Amino acid sequence: MDSKLIISSSPHLRSKEDTSSIMRDVVIALIPATIAAVYYFGMGALGVIISALIGAVASEALCQKLMNKPVTINDWSAIVTGLLVAFNIPASAPLWIPFVGSVFAIVIVKQLFGGIGHNFMNPALAARAMLLASWPVEMTSWVTPGPDAVSTATPLAIIKGAEAIDMAKPSFFDLLTGNIGGCIGETSAILLILGGVYLLYRGVITYVIPAYYIGTVFVLTLIFGGFDVANSMYHLFAGGLMIGAFFMATDYSSSPMTQKGQIIYAIGCGALTTIIRLWGGYPEGVSYSILLMNVAAPLIDKYVNPKVFGEVAK
């Protein structure tokens, strides 16, 4: 009789979703863009992806074993981190680059801060920043899609005039389909959007962060780009905006908890991305904008948290 009257502490709502199901959905959402990357960049992209996955899974298992924690490589989170690290690296990079990046993301950014749900910034983007600062030549050696793999510049670098000034910028069709130079994760904006729509349909993410992030970039590039709609649309589909908005800025543990906080966070990502793209030293600003707003997320949460019900006014 006593056992029937025992009740646990809140929350009492239960969901069928768990870490494994959420991470599996993210992997499913990334599959179309992964296939497109291998189609366009061939064995180079495949090698980068495999190296990053091996580095992520092996370092997670080894790190948890050494820290006497349960080994959780079956929850798909290491696979997601490995894939996102690979997506931030050019297909021409040496295979040790994605391996080192994944080990850094898992060990330094994820496990040393307590594991999944405790990292204060996106592990894959932190790894990209580390790799770019340590090996800038290997991380910026872009090649054209196809078997010839000729050196090229990214679309954002071309329109900014930072590289390949005489080169014509790729068409909108090439941006959408992925027939452009850049990181393998910047391939095919349309397939990344398709993956994002799948995550929205499955309830893994909400529209708030992607919509406000992408919308802010569009509005600001429109205002500061001379109200050139075509130029603003180009900024949306070039570079890493789509993968950043749908797959990285929405990281549960490094983004604000409330909707109001997420709106502030997403607008901040969009503003910083635009500032870096238009006036910064780099043609792309997605990675650093999300990392900077990851750091600001606890501060945003502090000032937008709802009042506690029943609290006595001071």
Side-chain angles (χ1 to χ4, degrees):
M1 181 65 182
D2 290 342
S3 62
K4 294 182 179 178
L5 299 177
I6 293 174
I7 188 168
S8 61
S9 59
S10 60
H12 304 295
L13 294 176
R14 292 180 180 273
S15 170
K16 294 180 181 179
E17 294 179 346
D18 55 18
T19 301
S20 297
S21 65
I22 292 171
M23 293 299 160
R24 187 172 58 243
D25 277 335
V26 177
V27 172
I28 292 172
L30 288 170
I31 286 176
T34 304
I35 294 173
V38 175
Y39 171 77
Y40 281 116
F41 294 108
M43 297 304 293
L46 184 61
V48 166
I49 293 168
I50 292 174
S51 177
L53 291 177
I54 292 174
V57 174
S59 61
E60 175 130 307
L62 182 61
C63 192
Q64 290 176 328
K65 198 75 175 176
L66 293 174
M67 297 171 77
N68 292 320
K69 291 181 176 180
V71 177
T72 59
I73 57 175
N74 292 330
D75 68 3
W76 295 80
S77 64
I79 299 289
V80 170
T81 301
L83 267 179
L84 292 178
V85 168
F87 273 34
N88 280 280
I89 295 173
S92 61
L95 296 185
W96 56 268
I97 287 276
F99 186 88
V100 170
S102 287
V103 171
F104 180 86
I106 294 291
V107 176
I108 304 298
V109 187
K110 184 179 177 184
Q111 291 299 331
L112 291 186
F113 285 91
I116 187 169
H118 297 279
N119 50 288
F120 69 99
M121 61 174 58
N122 184 285
L125 287 180
R128 174 186 164 89
M130 183 278 293
L131 292 172
L132 192 58
S134 303
W135 297 285
V137 175
E138 289 82 357
M139 285 293 291
T140 55
S141 297
W142 319 115
V143 294
T144 56
D148 295 336
V150 178
S151 296
T152 187
T154 64
L156 289 175
I158 295 173
I159 64 173
K160 190 171 185 175
E163 300 173 26
I165 300 173
D166 298 330
M167 185 180 293
K169 67 180 182 181
S171 66
F172 271 109
F173 182 78
D174 286 337
L175 288 182
L176 290 172
T177 58
N179 189 26
I180 55 174
C183 294
I184 63 175
E186 295 173 0
T187 294
S188 186
I190 195 69
L191 293 180
L192 291 169
I193 294 172
L194 180 65
V197 171
Y198 174 78
L199 294 182
L200 290 169
Y201 169 74
R202 293 285 296 166
V204 174
I205 63 173
T206 69
Y207 74 93
V208 176
I209 292 177
Y212 279 89
Y213 188 174
I214 296 170
T216 300
V217 172
F218 177 80
V219 171
L220 292 182
T221 54
L222 185 67
I223 294 173
F224 295 106
F227 293 93
D228 185 345
V229 176
N231 177 66
S232 296
M233 294 298 293
Y234 205 87
H235 272 281
L236 298 191
F237 298 121
L241 182 58
M242 291 303 163
I243 188 172
F246 285 107
F247 293 93
M248 294 178 170
T250 52
D251 184 4
Y252 292 164
S253 59
S254 56
S255 59
M257 293 181 288
T258 65
Q259 186 179 67
K260 184 187 293 183
Q262 290 174 357
I263 292 172
I264 297 171
Y265 165 86
I267 291 174
C269 287
L272 288 171
T273 297
T274 305
I275 290 170
I276 295 172
R277 282 186 176 185
L278 296 184
W279 300 291
Y282 287 105
E284 174 59 292
V286 169
S287 301
Y288 290 111
S289 67
I290 295 176
L291 287 174
L292 288 171
M293 292 310 295
N294 284 163
V295 176
L299 187 64
I300 296 172
D301 274 334
K302 178 181 178 180
Y303 288 104
V304 301
N305 270 347
K307 293 181 179 178
V308 177
F309 289 116
E311 187 178 49
V312 177
K314 296 181 180 178

